Amino acid sequence: MWSWEAFFSFLHNPRMLQGAWTTVWLTTVSMALALPLAVLVALGRASRFVPVRLFTGFYVWLMRGTPLLVQLVIIYTGLPQLGLRLGVITSALTGLVLNEAAYLSEIVRAGVLSVPRGQSEAARALGMPPWRVFRVVVGPQALRVMVPPLGNSFNGLLKTTTLVSVISVEELLRRTQFAVQTNFRVLEGLTVAALYYLAMTTVWGLIQRWIEARVGRGHQSTPTARRTKSAALPALEMETR
């Protein structure tokens, strides 16, 4: 039968709270490291050099085509057989970053491709250098497209971190497994873990909504806005000269 006493004991269990914190920082660090790698991979897939395109394409194909669980086990138990031994946390971060970067690279690539080519060509015709074209014209528009799927990826990564428990990382799920061994109240313990995950994803959902509002501020598609952009074009041309 359900035990409220066990439920509330799990709810305030310091070990489970520590596990929740481990989940949060593991997700944040993995995302922070995966995003720059994803940008490099996306640029590589758009490179004019065939070897670079082939290598980055193979990387994305491999990481997206094999389960993260298998990748983690290979990194943690397989690499030592080749003479490369990584710690538990390092193995977890390596697996999460390499896997997540493959998915994020497609988001970045899709965001950049969503900007009409004519806009960057028009900016270059005005004399803008490539870095300024990306910063002023392509980047802001691509970012509006990328923010929602990037936020969803962070949300998913919060829950994907449960897989690192198989290589002994003491995140929330593994701490829960340890906690339920004291009284064998599995249902109550897993229910509390689910509530923790729900709380974390809910908080992130609010943060993501705020970020989307900030990024989308000032973005309008009304005729008035288009006339304003047209009126600002001569000033932009004068600035680039």
Side-chain angles (χ1 to χ4, degrees), residues 9 16 22 28 36 88 127 132 138-139 155 168 170 181 186 210-211 226 239:
S9 67
M16 293 184 63
T22 300
T28 304
V88 173
R132 186 171 176 81
V138 178
N155 189 309
S168 304
E170 295 191 8
Q181 292 176 4
V186 179
W210 177 81
I211 293 174
R226 288 195 292 269
E239 180 185 355

Side-chain angles (χ1 to χ4, degrees), residues 11 16 24 26 38 48 58 86 90 97 114 117 145 157 166 177 196-198 201 233:
L11 195 62
M16 293 184 63
V24 170
L26 196 62
R48 292 176 296 178
F58 174 78
L86 302 177
T90 305
V97 169
S114 68
R117 179 183 289 270
V145 177
L157 190 57
V166 300
Q177 293 171 341
Y196 278 144
Y197 282 112
L198 185 60
T201 55
L233 187 59

Side-chain angles (χ1 to χ4, degrees), residues 34-214:
L35 190 54
L37 178 59
V39 173
L40 294 178
V41 173
L43 293 176
R45 298 199 67 188
S47 174
R48 292 176 296 178
F49 299 99
V50 176
V52 176
R53 288 205 311 270
L54 290 177
F55 176 77
T56 52
F58 174 78
Y59 164 76
V60 172
W61 169 76
L62 179 65
M63 290 296 130
R64 296 182 65 187
T66 55
L68 174 58
L69 182 61
V70 175
Q71 297 169 15
L72 289 169
V73 173
I74 289 176
I75 292 172
Y76 185 62
T77 63
L79 292 183
Q81 300 180 25
L82 302 177
L84 181 59
R85 185 177 299 276
L86 302 177
V88 173
I89 297 298
T90 305
S91 298
L93 285 174
T94 301
L96 290 173
V97 169
L98 292 178
N99 183 270
E100 192 67 19
Y103 288 92
L104 296 184
S105 67
E106 292 299 284
I107 295 176
V108 173
R109 191 166 69 95
V112 173
L113 292 177
S114 68
V115 180
R117 179 183 289 270
Q119 296 193 23
S120 57
E121 292 176 350
R124 286 196 296 269
L126 292 175
M128 284 188 177
W131 64 269
R132 186 171 176 81
V133 172
F134 185 82
R135 185 177 69 85
V136 176
V137 179
V138 178
Q141 297 183 73
L143 186 62
R144 295 189 186 99
V145 177
M146 291 188 293
V147 164
L150 287 177
N152 293 338
S153 295
F154 187 91
N155 189 309
L157 190 57
L158 271 169
K159 293 164 285 188
T160 303
T161 53
T162 56
L163 294 178
V164 301
S165 62
V166 300
I167 60 172
S168 304
V169 177
E170 295 191 8
E171 42 70 66
L172 178 56
L173 179 60
R174 189 166 179 83
R175 289 295 182 95
T176 303
Q177 293 171 341
F178 288 149
V180 299
Q181 292 176 4
T182 60
N183 55 11
F184 300 101
R185 308 300 302 193
V186 179
L187 179 59
E188 291 85 348
L190 291 179
T191 300
V192 170
L195 290 176
Y196 278 144
Y197 282 112
L198 185 60
M200 289 186 288
T201 55
T202 300
V203 171
W204 171 248
L206 296 175
I207 296 174
Q208 179 181 349
R209 192 172 303 174
W210 177 81
I211 293 174
E212 291 177 5
R214 293 282 296 181

